[in-house]
Amino acid sequence: GWQGLIAYGCHSLVLIVDANTAQTLQVLERHKASVVKVKWAKENYHHNIGSPYSLRLASADATGKIIVWDVATGTARCEIQEHAKPIQDMQWLWNQDASRDLLLAVHPPNYIVLWNADTGTKLWKKSYAENILSFSFDPFDPSHLALLTSEGIVFISDFSPSKAPASSGKKVYISSPHSSPSHKQLAAATGAKKALDRVKILISNEKPNAESVTLNDCLQLSYLPSKRNYMLLLYPREILILDLEVNQTVGVIAIERTGVPFLQVIPCFQRDGLFCLHENGCITLRVRRSSCSITGTPNDEPDPDPVQELIYDLRSQCDAIRVTKTVRPFSMVCCPVNENSAALIVSDGRVMIWELKSSISARNVRNSSSSASPLYSPVSFCGIPVGAFQNKLPDLSLDNMIGQGTVAGEEQLKRLPLPPFAIRMCPPLTTKNIKQYEPILAVGTSNGSVLVFHLTSGVLHKELSIHSCEVKGIEWISLTGFISFATSTPNNLGLVRNELQLVDLPTGRSIAFRGERGNDEPAIEMIKVSHLKQYLAVVFKDKPLEIWDVRTCTLLREMSKNFPTATALEWSPSHNLKSLRKKQLAAREAMARQTVASDTEVSSLESSVISLLQEAESKSELSQNISAREHFVFTGADGQVYHLTVEGNSVKDSARIPPDGSMGSITCIAWKGDILVLGDVDGNLNFWDLKARVSRGIPTHRSWVKKIRFAPGKGNQKLLAMYHDGAEIWDSKEVQMVSSLRSGRNVNFRILDVDWCTSDKVVLASDDGCIRVLDLSMKPSCFRMDEQDLIEPAWCPYLLVPRASLALKAFLLHQPWDEKYSLDIMSIDYPENENIKNLLQAQLNSLSNDIKKLLLDPDFTLLQRCLLVAR
């Protein structure tokens, strides 16, 4: 878009990315099907308070629905639907005189419709004889339009916003380029014949005979914005340049046999250049040679009508990507303002942003022996001749690029890999950890790596390759460490390799938690860390559970063979740490009193007690290693509930509760405060109130309860339950459902994993490859961009209120009140609300140092300033 943001469709979502800081600024969710086209609205009109700067985007999906968005607030302006087939192409009208809201769309198979995208009303509709694949507006004449159809090209010369084209257009057929002689070796003929042979007329009004291939393999048609009446056609192995005045091919860019075929081409408007995307993800820039380098042989008689052949030279290219079955380039966009950077989206969700860099060196330009002229010779910058010492920004735009350009890469936005995922939020925010707390989400993936995301900004914090097989679960043991487990695919005996790793996040160091154990044993079903993060219970499929000490990585107890296999397990939130701490403090005070007391005083404490206390004190240096007593409950296959206690290095069996007859096999347990909740395979939830000693069973009539979790926060008794087909939030105090989400009914994705990320927000991982954060209503919602917490400030004045964005523009353009320019808006007598001033200052601070230097340069003229600010 004209504001430097990149929009792309990903499944049924539209993502907005800032190209400079490589951050995702907005995610728009409303489409029910895959998004196939996105187009930013044009900006070539005068902006004022009545028509402010705004972020408008149109997106179209595979069911034929077009949504026009207000991106800053994340709301839909209007929705448009005509047929239920995927939209083939759409464009905003570039000629903004009539209205800025007009959108032309191709609705398959053969209709073009003009819409008012502000109100969603249809202005007119026109059908054609053939299937329309795409279209291109003539950038020099708003009434001209060319349609690429399955048979040929249709030229429309009476396009107008007010009524549908009356004629059905001029149809031309194109014979296959492969039959053109540009592929055969040219015989050394004389000038005129040579020119004629070379540009055999490819465009004809008769339908071609059957053996010559029609346009089926033509990928793209587009007018050249840098030359009037020229058009390009893109084939997988060549680009043809047509001159529409003489209906002839005047240039062919062909790829040699071993070369990589084209996927897409973007013609530039500042220079006669083409950005081409190849199937291996390589982007190349080709620039037309200047005409003086083509000299005819002197003895030929001059041609009566010399057809100038256009030759494009390869100027720069970027590195290719490794193309596999799942990884291939999808499409490329070029910055419409400066035309010196391009972004490429790859099928694994990466966005790669490439910038064109010019190599400046005056000597080399003069002495370069190659006939290729430099992209631009350094004569002026922003319209002013370049002096020796003048400040300039060489890479401002393609127009200013100098010398032999090379494409330099900028790395990429990482996205999530393919599902399935296991997600776990780090421990909740408390009053004690508020200083160092960061909201971090760990995502275990199917290839064995754990991705750690910063949840408020959505930025990937770390990627840790820890396991060699699919990560099944993650448990945090502190704010900066977690334990994750992965299991390989079972062998013919049903045994697997279990990997259990303890990871320290700041250093990335990981330790095999169970040492040498783990080969050829039954799969780990789950791991649970106790509330004080002291102990870890590891539950296996057909093998008794193990209790480990997290702090020393030692096995405390492996249950005996006849011990029941656990189907569900949960640690109790109650423990005796407080009373232990009290005892310890009392002991310390006694010892202090003891040393202060003089020898003559008779000690109130016997010496044996003191020695015991001193021993305890030395063991628990700074209360680090107090071993508090903790409890856990688990259910056996018969539905009995067992209650066990762990203290220090001993595990004691304390109580058994007989099964509840109404419940099936128990699959999960959650415990918080005095409430214990059990879920079973038939979708029943059983709420136990331990204080009042009552239990209530609730049938949810949804299948197998896969997971239940209480929300963090004192006294917060909300419960999140996950089923095979969705999720629900319950209030366990009132025992009633708060909200529900069902696959197929109100959303079209399946939920893979759930967790709480704050006391009133849940995070869901789904099989469409996304992770969503929802509030308690679980309604998919978009957020306002200005409420987002970005790690790096992004320059985007479009997000300011209209009054402020226009004030910022004026401030940058002209400061007549002072001798010297300043970028500090706070020091200026400007009657405005403080908050808005702070927002303006934040925008100014996010400018790059190069631009700041230019704006503060006293010799930088007003004209140059206007051009720079406009860009």
Side-chain angles (χ1 to χ4, degrees):
W2 287 87
Q3 55 320 75
L5 304 180
I6 300 169
Y8 66 94
C10 167
H11 300 285
S12 59
L13 309 173
V14 180
L15 276 80
I16 312 295
V17 167
D18 177 34
N20 293 327
T21 58
Q23 298 179 99
T24 307
L25 298 184
Q26 175 67 287
V27 180
L28 305 168
E29 180 170 28
R30 198 173 178 129
H31 285 286
K32 294 278 184 281
S34 294
V35 176
V36 291
K37 285 266 180 266
V38 284
K39 287 279 190 292
W40 285 103
K42 304 274 190 236
E43 293 282 341
N44 52 342
Y45 57 90
H46 175 63
H47 296 73
N48 53 24
I49 290 283
S51 48
Y53 291 95
S54 64
L55 295 171
R56 260 200 313 175
L57 179 77
S59 61
D61 67 20
T63 57
K65 175 176 273 194
I66 300 177
I67 299 184
V68 180
W69 299 91
D70 178 356
V71 175
T73 57
T75 51
R77 289 251 181 120
C78 74
E79 301 190 15
I80 295 168
Q81 181 94 41
E82 176 74 13
H83 296 290
K85 288 206 180 123
I87 303 287
Q88 284 282 5
D89 199 359
M90 61 174 182
Q91 290 277 352
W92 295 83
L93 263 57
W94 62 266
N95 175 22
Q96 304 267 347
D97 301 343
S99 157
R100 295 190 285 277
D101 306 320
L102 303 184
L103 186 69
L104 186 70
V106 176
H107 293 267
N110 56 355
Y111 293 100
I112 61 170
V113 185
L114 185 68
W115 299 95
N116 178 333
D118 205 38
T119 57
T121 46
K122 179 162 56 167
L123 300 180
W124 52 256
K125 175 175 174 179
K126 167 104 174 137
S127 68
Y128 287 88
E130 293 112 28
N131 293 351
I132 303 170
L133 305 174
S134 69
F135 65 88
S136 174
F137 280 111
D138 185 341
F140 296 97
D141 186 347
S143 64
H144 283 198
L145 177 69
L147 306 176
L148 176 63
T149 66
S150 48
E151 304 236 311
I153 302 177
V154 176
F155 288 102
I156 300 170
S157 53
D158 55 351
F159 177 84
S160 93
S162 50
K163 60 182 196 301
S167 67
S168 59
K170 176 179 142 210
K171 213 176 277 175
V172 298
Y173 299 95
I174 291 205
S175 56
S176 155
H178 298 291
S179 58
S180 77
S182 68
H183 276 261
K184 301 179 185 121
Q185 271 315 111
L186 288 173
T190 54
K193 183 158 183 307
K194 188 165 157 187
L196 242 167
D197 269 355
R198 190 172 295 173
V199 287
K200 175 169 186 246
I201 298 181
L202 289 185
I203 305 181
S204 58
N205 294 348
E206 305 85 51
K207 207 164 180 172
N209 51 356
E211 58 257 18
S212 78
V213 193
T214 51
L215 263 182
N216 286 343
D217 55 349
C218 181
L219 302 174
Q220 191 185 332
L221 146 152
S222 138
Y223 280 95
L224 288 189
S226 56
K227 282 173 96 69
R228 197 180 284 270
N229 288 329
Y230 279 76
M231 173 180 274
L232 70 81
L233 294 175
L234 174 71
Y235 290 85
R237 301 207 69 89
E238 59 198 325
I239 301 173
L240 303 183
I241 311 286
L242 311 180
D243 182 337
L244 300 179
E245 285 175 319
V246 295
N247 279 2
Q248 285 187 353
T249 314
V250 290
V252 178
I253 302 172
I255 291 183
E256 54 273 18
R257 273 205 191 91
T258 56
V260 185
F262 292 114
L263 269 183
Q264 188 190 350
V265 60
I266 299 178
C268 306
F269 75 94
Q270 303 180 18
R271 287 273 166 277
D272 193 353
L274 310 171
F275 279 98
C276 313
L277 172 64
H278 299 259
E279 282 178 5
N280 61 354
C282 178
I283 300 173
T284 56
L285 172 67
R286 293 163 193 272
V287 182
R288 186 169 67 86
R289 249 187 231 175
S290 49
S291 49
C292 56
S293 61
I294 303 170
T295 49
T297 42
N299 55 1
D300 290 344
E301 72 263 24
D303 297 341
D305 177 23
V307 176
Q308 178 75 64
E309 187 179 5
L310 305 181
I311 301 174
Y312 285 81
D313 292 319
L314 177 67
R315 270 316 168 69
S316 35
Q317 66 185 52
C318 73
D319 305 335
I321 57 176
R322 207 164 126 242
V323 178
T324 61
K325 260 196 225 120
T326 52
V327 179
R328 56 194 172 81
F330 271 162
S331 116
M332 155 184 78
V333 285
C334 172
C335 168
V337 182
N338 300 332
E339 293 189 320
N340 62 359
S341 56
L344 167 70
I345 174 148
V346 190
S347 57
D348 60 0
R350 279 179 305 172
V351 179
M352 305 171 83
I353 300 161
W354 294 94
E355 291 184 341
L356 197 66
K357 295 282 186 208
S358 59
S359 44
I360 307 177
S361 120
R363 274 197 321 282
N364 292 8
V365 173
R366 257 186 234 114
N367 309 343
S368 67
S369 53
S370 66
S371 62
S373 64
L375 286 179
Y376 188 62
S377 36
V379 178
S380 66
F381 169 65
C382 279
I384 299 288
V386 170
F389 303 107
Q390 189 191 331
N391 263 333
K392 56 186 176 291
L393 203 59
D395 298 337
L396 183 64
S397 70
L398 183 69
D399 204 29
N400 301 17
M401 292 291 209
I402 304 167
Q404 305 293 321
T406 56
V407 176
E410 260 244 325
E411 242 340 273
Q412 338 149 331
L413 273 109
K414 270 292 201 311
R415 292 276 171 257
L416 289 164
L418 296 170
F421 304 126
I423 59 175
R424 193 77 170 96
M425 191 67 193
C426 69
L429 177 67
T430 62
T431 47
K432 293 196 183 81
N433 66 16
I434 195 158
K435 291 261 193 306
Q436 66 270 36
Y437 183 79
E438 281 192 3
I440 289 176
L441 177 79
V443 181
T445 63
S446 49
N447 60 6
S449 59
V450 175
L451 307 172
V452 180
F453 283 92
H454 209 285
L455 212 53
T456 45
S457 61
V459 173
L460 181 66
H461 176 60
K462 273 195 178 161
E463 178 174 359
L464 304 162
S465 298
I466 306 169
H467 298 283
S468 59
C469 40
E470 185 187 328
V471 181
K472 292 285 173 59
I474 298 170
E475 286 279 317
W476 290 82
I477 53 167
S478 67
L479 284 177
T480 57
F482 60 82
I483 295 179
S484 60
F485 78 95
T487 56
S488 62
T489 45
N491 60 15
N492 43 15
L493 296 172
L495 300 177
V496 300
R497 185 180 73 259
N498 284 320
E499 300 178 357
L500 191 64
Q501 294 283 49
L502 173 73
V503 182
D504 178 45
L505 199 57
T507 59
R509 176 169 173 237
S510 70
I511 311 160
F513 187 79
R514 297 173 69 226
E516 299 297 311
R517 295 163 180 256
N519 287 331
D520 292 340
E521 58 178 13
I524 297 181
E525 288 276 282
M526 62 177 154
I527 58 174
K528 290 273 176 156
V529 174
S530 67
H531 275 260
L532 294 178
K533 317 288 186 214
Q534 299 187 107
Y535 310 115
L536 173 77
V538 183
V539 179
F540 295 90
K541 200 171 178 182
D542 305 308
K543 180 179 159 187
L545 59 94
E546 297 177 354
I547 307 288
W548 290 75
D549 188 322
V550 172
R551 298 159 302 180
T552 56
C553 295
T554 48
L555 179 62
L556 296 179
R557 173 135 169 224
E558 186 174 2
M559 300 303 178
S560 59
K561 287 279 185 291
N562 55 7
F563 199 77
T565 318
T567 57
L569 182 143
E570 176 68 312
W571 287 91
S572 152
S574 64
H575 49 74
N576 66 347
L577 182 66
K578 278 198 176 136
S579 60
L580 273 179
R581 288 254 165 97
K582 271 190 192 136
K583 277 182 195 162
Q584 200 187 18
L585 278 171
R588 280 192 186 164
E589 279 169 13
M591 279 164 61
R593 274 204 304 277
Q594 179 64 24
T595 46
V596 169
S598 61
D599 302 330
T600 53
E601 272 183 45
V602 180
S603 152
S604 58
L605 277 169
E606 291 170 17
S607 55
S608 60
V609 180
I610 293 234
S611 60
L612 273 172
L613 285 173
Q614 280 168 331
E615 190 179 297
E617 182 72 11
S618 62
K619 268 191 187 154
S620 58
E621 220 30 89
L622 292 171
S623 80
Q624 277 304 307
N625 299 344
I626 301 186
S627 283
R629 184 170 66 238
E630 297 204 63
H631 325 263
F632 67 92
V633 291
F634 74 92
T635 52
D638 54 357
Q640 256 202 91
V641 180
Y642 298 83
H643 180 196
L644 280 84
T645 324
V646 187
E647 179 168 16
N649 47 12
S650 66
V651 182
K652 300 191 192 74
D653 195 348
S654 55
R656 299 184 179 199
I657 306 160
D660 183 335
S662 61
M663 299 279 282
S665 175
I666 308 282
T667 54
C668 48
I669 312 176
W671 190 347
K672 182 170 183 183
D674 295 324
I675 296 185
L676 183 75
V677 184
L678 305 139
D680 73 356
V681 282
D682 309 318
N684 301 317
L685 290 176
N686 205 335
F687 292 85
W688 292 11
D689 187 336
L690 302 175
K691 215 176 207 166
R693 299 189 164 233
V694 289
S695 78
R696 260 182 88 176
I698 306 265
T700 62
H701 303 300
R702 311 210 11 184
S703 60
W704 180 29
V705 186
K706 284 190 163 177
K707 187 179 258 185
I708 46 182
R709 281 230 169 105
F710 274 106
K714 198 168 183 180
N716 184 355
Q717 296 290 0
K718 298 270 189 307
L719 180 81
L720 175 62
M722 172 180 142
Y723 307 95
H724 186 67
D725 62 346
E728 286 175 350
I729 294 179
W730 285 73
D731 185 344
S732 61
K733 262 193 200 123
E734 314 291 326
V735 194
Q736 57 189 189
M737 191 172 81
V738 180
S739 62
S740 151
L741 189 77
R742 216 169 241 221
S743 309
R745 190 173 297 175
N746 41 9
V747 291
N748 47 7
F749 50 80
R750 234 185 68 240
I751 291 179
L752 302 173
D753 202 356
V754 294
D755 200 0
W756 290 93
C757 54
T758 61
S759 55
D760 59 348
K761 300 262 191 313
V762 295
V763 54
L764 310 176
S766 53
D767 66 346
D768 60 357
C770 299
I771 287 182
R772 295 174 168 80
V773 177
L774 305 177
D775 57 8
L776 288 178
S777 67
M778 298 226 272
K779 295 265 188 305
S781 61
C782 295
F783 48 85
R784 294 180 59 92
M785 273 163 83
D786 46 17
E787 288 170 3
Q788 202 184 358
D789 186 11
L790 292 175
I791 288 184
E792 209 180 325
W795 161 258
C796 190
Y798 282 71
L799 298 180
L800 297 167
V801 289
R803 196 175 67 236
S805 58
L806 292 162
L808 180 64
K809 183 164 121 178
F811 176 74
L812 287 174
L813 285 181
H814 192 37
Q815 302 183 1
W817 55 82
D818 209 351
E819 291 297 305
K820 97 167 188 270
Y821 276 87
S822 120
L823 289 179
D824 177 20
I825 206 154
M826 292 299 177
S827 60
I828 288 169
D829 179 20
Y830 158 55
E832 183 56 275
N833 169 337
E834 275 299 306
N835 294 348
I836 290 189
K837 273 196 177 180
N838 287 332
L839 287 172
L840 288 175
Q841 193 59 51
Q843 285 291 333
L844 288 168
N845 295 346
S846 69
L847 282 168
S848 75
N849 290 338
D850 294 344
I851 300 230
K852 284 184 185 165
K853 187 175 156 196
L854 278 176
L855 287 169
L856 293 171
D857 180 9
D859 300 335
F860 205 52
T861 62
L862 182 66
L863 181 75
Q864 292 175 298
R865 218 170 269 281
C866 291
L867 186 59
L868 183 72
V869 172
R871 282 182 170 157

